[in-house]
Amino acid sequence: MNRGIKMHWLEGRSKYGYVTFVVPFDKHEVKADDTICLKDENDNQIPCSATPIAYWPDGTVKWMSCSADIKSDNVYVSVGKSLDTEGNTIQEFEDKFVVNNGVMDFEFPKSGNVLMKTPYADAYLKVLNEARFKDDDGCYCNKVTPFNGVINEVSIERAIGLMTTIKVCGTHVDNNGREYLPYVIRFTIYKNEYAAHITHTFFYDGNPAEDFIKGMAVEFKRKMVGKNYNRRVKITGDYGVMHELIQYINIWHPIYLREQQLHLRQLAGEKMEFDPNDKDITAMLDDTVVWDSYKLTQLTADSYVVKKKTAPKNVCEINAGFGRRSKGLMYVGDEAGGIAVSMLDFWRKYPSSLMARGLSRDEGKLYAWLITPEVNAQDLRHYDTKAHSQSHYEGFNTIGSDPVGISNTNEITFYMFDEIPSDDELMYLSDKGEKKAVLLCDPEYYHSVKAFGEWSLISRDTPLKAWLEDELDKAFEFYKNEIEQRRWYGFWDYGDVMHTYDGARHCWKYDLGGYAWQNTELVPTLWLWYAFIRSGREDIFTVAEAMCRHSANVDIYHMGDLKGMGSRHNVIHWGDSCKEPRIAMAGHHRMLFYLTGGDFNIGDCMDDVKDADFAAIDPLRFFYKKEDMKLPTHARSGPDWTTYVSNWFVQWERYLDEHYHKKMLRGFSDLTKAPLRFVSGSNFEYDPATGELGYIGENSAGGSHLAVCMGAPELGFELAYHTENELLKECMVEYGQFYFKSPEEKKKWAKGLISGEGFSFPYMAAAMVAYAARETHDEKLAYKVWQVLVHSLAGKDKKEGFDLNFVDNYFNNEKLSEMFWISTNFTAQWCLNTIVALELTKDYLKNSKEDYEFEDWVK
């Protein structure tokens, strides 16, 4: 019996409960107005709300986003009648939206500074800005100014029955009216759930020389009810829960003995009641300390502290606990219920904190500090006052470091309780925040509908395939372990990896210009996502997801003159003088967007780059005179134009936007008219208004390999299937047949238009050549693909493969593992090309790597 498309929980993540997931469909299968039938393992139908988030050219559904409350290990999706159920209700008033999810009203005011009102607490935004200046004596001083979030616009972003998402846009304002750090906050409400899922995005618009972010928080204010001895705090640590009473009755007083271990009854959650006329009891309580505030601060990836204090201002804090990596949840409760906040990646994106204040007073405050004020303010200045283009691979010999326009996104879950939650429940909720649930199809299904184009399923049925899979696994394991070994964590850093290793110092070139942070160069994003979708491995998903969330926010400009551009690799993520569209390419993040059912923040980031061709600084401005040009600017066919196509493709498939489709077609038409079609250029003149590419001869600034190493082949393969454009296939085949020719053969093929030199790094073009081999049934060309991939992994004074070396007693590591030759450029491109080529040449693979002869040209 065909039960439909099987979905399963991602192993190693939390599971059960509400989840938004996505199902891909092949062409012509599902219409936009079709409904989704969701069933569990026992064939029971589950209420499900669904909406299309991408389309095939004929308007049929390519990706369908679904939301449901799932309590089984597997579910099955098919097209059919949905189970009728009452969803959330939404009312719009002049001054607010009200969402009722069956258990309570959530109010979203359209103005003011209260972002969300619930019966349990209200939500606000808070920022602390630090200004640094010299006083009259020349001493440096700091002044901290508070800013409060103010609402500019509120809208309903998605309302599909069981799920409602409210989008709130605004900025932070101080008492003098200065606006600072615009924000986009999203509140997602599920049916019958006592929770609000919050996505917090802010954009930096300050002066990095003067504005240092001292703190940033979402604040929840709650009216505290009842006696202090019935108020409590619970905090999740590394392994369990710290449970504290605001007034803890564990004392030597004789009354305590008479009342039979009051503190144990308190800790068990019993509501304590005393006779107010009993003078002895009253005296005892009056003499029992009352705590007013608690804070959990994650100082580094390896250290947190808990502190608490009483209400008076002129008293000290005391240490209450410590640990390594908190799970990042704090609960505060009173006699009427309580609230809790859980922060995703709490320790990974340090410095962060959870703080509760006013717990002994009428109004309590619970803060989720995304940037904690307990440490030095965030400093977004550059690391030097001059550039290092000639020595350290920085872009140009000018300072181009600019954080204005970058963003950072964080996720918070706000929980509400009528009863005191157990420690087990809070650990479960913190695990949900730490390891968000993901519902997925099997790799075989994604492969069958060509989700994301051409890629191979894992197979080890020959010695060659087994060796290749082992090397792919070793490459990923190395980077996964490096994230932990090198502590690549932190508010601005988590998700990125380094560019090039320094074997002499046994560390990465973290301080050497363009050799430091990778910033998506040579698409490690695509390597990781293809590695995931073929394996279904949670650890790969986690690394890929973190990389995308980092690069989609921190490495991209989301506003201002540079909107749509990204910063090339550097010591500081926004530090390089080369602002490139390829770094911000939508294709880096597209897989995360679809696999999570349409992540709103990632969707925004992809929308932000749709017109990057207008923002782009002419990449060839130093090579051509403006007065000699016929079109406004330049674009290399790759990576510039192919990056624009990636951006436009997302607009076309998500919204069926013909404007961007036409720009794709115009540039493609111009390329096909060039003398050598895709081989031509790669330098072209370009008009952003029309998408026209103007042929200006055969010259390739930066090298022809740039046309193939930034995701263009993978984009082309998917577009060929998406559009069924035979001319596109023909041009890609022609390019693939060309790349591995000798320089003399290239020159002859081009009839002398090019020298035949410059098409370097053949392993970067292996997937494109493999495509040509498959489409033309060319076994000899397929053989060359594997000559290149097998033998490019050898050399550099190392063995064949991603083999570890070990260094004893290195600084902070008793046994350091390393690959002294490693670069992320090579790793990402070798792994990506291998994953794709295994699919494209599967009919021509030899039995073992020894069957592929080494020749000098493969290097």
Side-chain angles (χ1 to χ4, degrees):
M1 180 181 70
N2 182 9
R3 305 178 66 181
I5 302 160
K6 181 182 177 182
M7 309 286 296
H8 66 274
W9 298 103
L10 180 58
E11 190 71 26
R13 292 292 188 101
S14 63
K15 58 183 182 179
Y16 309 136
Y18 271 105
V19 65
T20 295
F21 60 97
V22 72
V23 186
F25 295 99
D26 210 344
K27 300 174 184 177
H28 321 306
E29 287 187 350
V30 178
K31 297 177 182 178
D33 58 355
D34 283 342
T35 54
I36 294 298
C37 176
L38 184 66
K39 293 186 176 182
D40 65 16
E41 297 151 319
N42 298 316
D43 213 35
N44 298 310
Q45 195 163 356
I46 303 169
C48 177
S49 299
T51 187
I53 57 172
Y55 303 88
W56 293 103
D58 65 355
T60 56
V61 176
K62 189 174 186 180
W63 293 92
M64 183 77 82
S65 179
C66 307
S67 294
D69 185 4
I70 298 174
K71 298 177 173 63
S72 59
D73 289 332
N74 297 292
V75 292
Y76 298 85
V77 175
S78 61
V79 177
K81 182 175 173 55
S82 297
L83 184 64
D84 291 333
T85 186
E86 183 178 353
N88 296 341
T89 61
I90 304 170
Q91 293 178 286
E92 182 176 4
F93 300 92
E94 184 178 348
D95 60 342
K96 63 185 176 183
F97 288 96
V98 178
V99 178
N100 184 283
N101 72 340
V103 294
M104 75 179 82
D105 284 343
F106 297 78
E107 293 187 13
F108 298 94
K110 294 182 179 180
S111 62
N113 61 1
V114 184
L115 274 69
M116 178 183 70
K117 295 182 177 182
T118 76
Y120 296 80
D122 299 339
Y124 302 76
L125 297 180
K126 189 177 186 67
V127 160
L128 301 176
N129 190 56
E130 180 178 288
R132 299 178 182 177
F133 57 93
K134 286 185 179 180
D135 64 12
D136 294 339
D137 296 325
C139 297
Y140 282 99
C141 301
N142 300 339
K143 179 183 178 181
V144 176
T145 302
F147 287 71
N148 295 308
V150 173
I151 297 166
N152 292 338
E153 182 182 1
V154 181
S155 60
I156 302 170
E157 188 158 31
R158 184 178 292 180
I160 54 170
L162 300 175
M163 169 196 176
T164 305
T165 297
I166 300 291
K167 180 180 180 181
V168 183
C169 301
T171 189
H172 301 84
V173 181
D174 69 4
N175 289 336
N176 295 319
R178 181 194 172 187
E179 296 184 356
Y180 180 50
L181 303 183
Y183 67 79
V184 174
I185 310 293
R186 290 179 167 93
F187 297 87
T188 295
I189 312 298
Y190 289 109
K191 181 70 175 179
N192 293 331
E193 192 176 47
Y194 286 81
H197 304 268
I198 303 169
T199 302
H200 177 291
T201 301
F202 79 94
F203 307 88
Y204 186 79
D205 66 344
N207 179 344
E210 299 176 358
D211 295 310
F212 301 81
I213 306 174
K214 180 62 176 174
M216 175 175 289
V218 180
E219 176 187 29
F220 300 92
K221 295 182 181 180
R222 173 178 173 82
K223 293 181 180 178
M224 302 298 289
V225 177
K227 302 297 185 180
N228 284 326
Y229 47 75
N230 287 322
R231 302 181 186 186
R232 68 195 69 242
V233 172
K234 290 191 174 189
I235 304 169
T236 59
D238 309 66
Y239 308 107
V241 175
M242 178 181 182
H243 186 177
E244 292 265 313
L245 279 303
I246 304 308
Q247 190 175 27
Y248 185 42
I249 311 175
N250 184 1
I251 56 179
W252 64 271
H253 196 285
I255 298 298
Y256 164 75
L257 301 177
R258 188 184 77 192
E259 292 296 331
Q260 301 176 2
Q261 297 187 319
L262 299 178
H263 71 293
L264 296 181
R265 292 159 59 191
Q266 280 184 297
L267 289 171
E270 180 181 337
K271 181 181 178 181
M272 309 302 295
E273 297 186 61
F274 299 105
D275 182 357
N277 297 316
D278 188 325
K279 295 181 180 179
D280 290 334
I281 291 290
T282 302
M284 176 191 72
L285 294 174
D286 287 344
D287 195 40
T288 302
V289 65
V290 177
W291 299 101
D292 185 72
S293 68
Y294 284 78
K295 61 186 176 187
L296 160 70
T297 303
Q298 189 76 45
L299 298 167
T300 72
D302 293 297
S303 175
Y304 67 80
V305 294
V306 179
K307 293 178 180 287
K308 67 180 183 180
K309 70 181 289 293
T310 54
K313 292 182 178 180
N314 59 341
V315 296
C316 73
E317 296 178 326
I318 68 168
N319 292 322
F322 68 94
R324 186 167 178 244
R325 292 173 172 175
S326 169
K327 292 184 179 293
L329 181 146
M330 180 178 283
Y331 161 85
V332 297
D334 54 37
E335 292 183 4
I339 58 176
V341 172
S342 174
M343 293 172 61
L344 178 68
D345 293 324
F346 180 74
W347 63 265
R348 295 177 184 87
K349 294 191 73 172
Y350 75 90
S352 54
S353 64
L354 290 164
M355 187 182 302
R357 286 180 173 171
L359 301 183
S360 65
R361 289 170 271 178
D362 292 338
E363 183 179 73
K365 299 176 182 179
L366 179 58
Y367 298 89
W369 286 101
L370 308 173
I371 298 173
T372 181
E374 300 301 306
V375 299
N376 290 337
Q378 298 293 296
D379 188 342
L380 276 61
R381 295 173 296 178
H382 200 48
Y383 73 96
D384 203 353
T385 56
K386 65 178 183 178
H388 304 282
S389 63
Q390 301 303 307
S391 57
H392 297 325
Y393 193 34
E394 292 188 323
F396 300 113
N397 203 30
T398 56
I399 293 290
S401 185
D402 187 0
V404 175
I406 67 170
S407 68
N408 203 305
T409 294
N410 297 272
E411 296 183 41
I412 301 164
T413 306
F414 173 61
Y415 296 105
M416 293 156 280
F417 305 88
D418 290 325
E419 304 291 340
I420 301 169
S422 68
D423 291 358
D424 288 344
E425 182 178 1
L426 291 180
M427 288 300 289
Y428 169 74
L429 293 177
S430 64
D431 284 339
K432 285 186 69 173
E434 180 84 355
K435 290 283 190 179
K436 284 179 60 179
V438 181
L439 196 70
L440 296 161
C441 304
D442 293 331
E444 291 77 11
Y445 177 75
Y446 291 127
H447 189 265
S448 71
V449 297
K450 285 192 173 291
F452 309 121
E454 303 283 358
W455 47 273
S456 56
L457 292 168
I458 294 174
S459 172
R460 298 176 180 270
D461 60 3
T462 69
L464 173 65
K465 291 180 183 179
W467 177 74
L468 291 169
E469 295 296 346
D470 286 345
E471 295 306 314
L472 290 169
D473 285 349
K474 286 195 291 184
F476 172 73
E477 289 294 331
F478 174 73
Y479 277 85
K480 182 182 76 170
N481 293 334
E482 281 295 274
I483 293 168
E484 175 65 11
Q485 181 171 254
R486 307 291 176 173
R487 297 301 192 271
W488 288 338
Y489 301 115
F491 188 76
W492 300 105
D493 296 339
Y494 176 57
D496 209 351
V497 297
M498 288 279 174
H499 187 285
T500 302
Y501 198 71
D502 186 345
R505 290 190 294 174
H506 305 295
C507 66
W508 293 79
K509 296 182 179 180
Y510 67 95
D511 56 349
L512 299 182
Y515 294 109
W517 291 113
Q518 187 73 13
N519 281 31
T520 76
E521 187 78 335
L522 272 63
V523 292
T525 46
L526 297 191
W527 157 42
L528 291 169
W529 281 119
Y530 281 116
F532 166 72
I533 201 169
R534 68 198 297 263
S535 67
R537 286 175 51 177
E538 186 273 335
D539 54 353
I540 301 179
F541 184 97
T542 296
V543 174
E545 179 185 27
M547 182 176 288
C548 277
R549 295 200 184 280
H550 162 86
S551 60
N553 284 275
V554 178
D555 296 342
I556 293 178
Y557 292 100
H558 304 272
M559 62 186 198
D561 294 339
L562 291 173
K563 182 178 179 180
M565 305 290 280
S567 291
R568 180 178 170 271
H569 38 100
N570 195 264
V571 172
I572 305 295
H573 292 290
W574 48 87
D576 201 81
S577 54
C578 279
K579 307 302 181 184
E580 299 274 3
R582 69 178 187 251
I583 303 302
M585 181 176 70
H588 292 300
H589 323 299
R590 182 170 161 265
M591 293 193 193
L592 177 61
F593 175 78
Y594 289 127
L595 291 174
T596 54
D599 182 283
F600 292 111
N601 169 248
I602 298 299
D604 282 355
C605 294
M606 295 194 299
D607 286 345
D608 286 344
V609 304
K610 64 185 180 183
D611 295 319
D613 51 335
F614 286 93
I617 303 167
D618 188 338
L620 306 179
R621 59 194 178 277
F622 297 121
F623 298 89
Y624 297 92
K625 294 180 180 179
K626 187 73 175 178
E627 58 268 24
D628 296 335
M629 294 167 56
K630 297 179 180 179
L631 299 180
T633 186
H634 290 91
R636 293 161 292 182
S637 56
D640 305 320
W641 182 75
T642 52
T643 290
Y644 303 150
V645 172
S646 175
N647 301 342
W648 301 335
F649 178 37
V650 168
Q651 296 301 305
W652 184 34
E653 69 174 349
R654 285 183 67 191
Y655 309 117
L656 292 175
D657 192 324
E658 280 301 310
H659 168 69
Y660 294 101
H661 182 210
K662 288 176 181 177
K663 290 186 77 169
M664 293 166 61
L665 292 176
R666 176 58 194 267
F668 173 65
S669 175
D670 294 333
L671 281 177
T672 62
K673 294 173 184 175
L676 307 179
R677 301 206 288 192
F678 279 15
V679 176
S680 276
S682 58
N683 297 354
F684 286 83
E685 288 186 358
Y686 178 66
D687 184 355
T690 63
E692 177 186 356
L693 288 169
Y695 179 71
I696 53 176
E698 300 300 330
N699 196 356
S700 182
S704 298
H705 67 285
L706 291 177
V708 294
C709 66
M710 304 290 180
E714 293 71 32
L715 171 65
F717 304 151
E718 187 168 2
L719 276 172
Y721 183 73
H722 187 88
T723 63
E724 300 179 6
N725 187 319
E726 293 301 322
L727 183 56
L728 172 60
K729 295 179 183 178
E730 182 182 315
C731 290
M732 289 196 299
V733 166
E734 184 176 66
Y735 190 95
Q737 290 175 316
F738 169 85
Y739 207 97
F740 282 2
K741 291 179 183 293
S742 68
E744 295 77 15
E745 291 172 325
K746 289 186 175 83
K747 185 175 181 180
K748 181 179 179 181
W749 179 88
K751 298 179 181 178
L753 283 175
I754 58 176
S755 67
E757 303 290 344
F759 293 84
S760 53
F761 304 107
Y763 69 90
M764 296 183 183
M768 188 68 96
V769 178
Y771 184 82
R774 184 184 72 176
E775 295 300 306
T776 59
H777 310 288
D778 189 335
E779 186 173 0
K780 290 183 179 179
L781 193 56
Y783 181 86
K784 288 185 176 181
V785 168
W786 292 106
Q787 278 186 291
V788 166
L789 290 172
V790 167
H791 292 291
S792 62
L793 197 51
K796 297 184 181 181
D797 300 321
K798 64 181 180 62
K799 298 178 181 178
E800 292 188 10
F802 291 96
D803 298 312
L804 291 173
N805 304 98
F806 295 95
V807 178
D808 291 333
N809 301 318
Y810 166 78
F811 182 48
N812 62 352
N813 198 321
E814 187 176 2
K815 195 173 188 68
L816 178 82
S817 60
E818 68 172 7
M819 293 184 189
F820 64 86
W821 57 272
I822 198 77
S823 79
T824 304
N825 279 3
F826 173 81
T827 306
Q829 279 294 298
W830 186 89
C831 292
L832 176 59
N833 279 270
T834 296
I835 288 169
V836 176
L838 276 168
E839 174 68 12
L840 296 173
T841 64
K842 59 187 176 184
D843 294 334
Y844 305 112
L845 287 170
K846 302 294 184 183
N847 187 60
S848 70
K849 61 187 176 72
E850 286 74 24
D851 292 326
Y852 293 97
E853 182 182 354
F854 173 78
E855 296 180 58
D856 287 338
W857 70 269
V858 305
K859 295 295 185 183

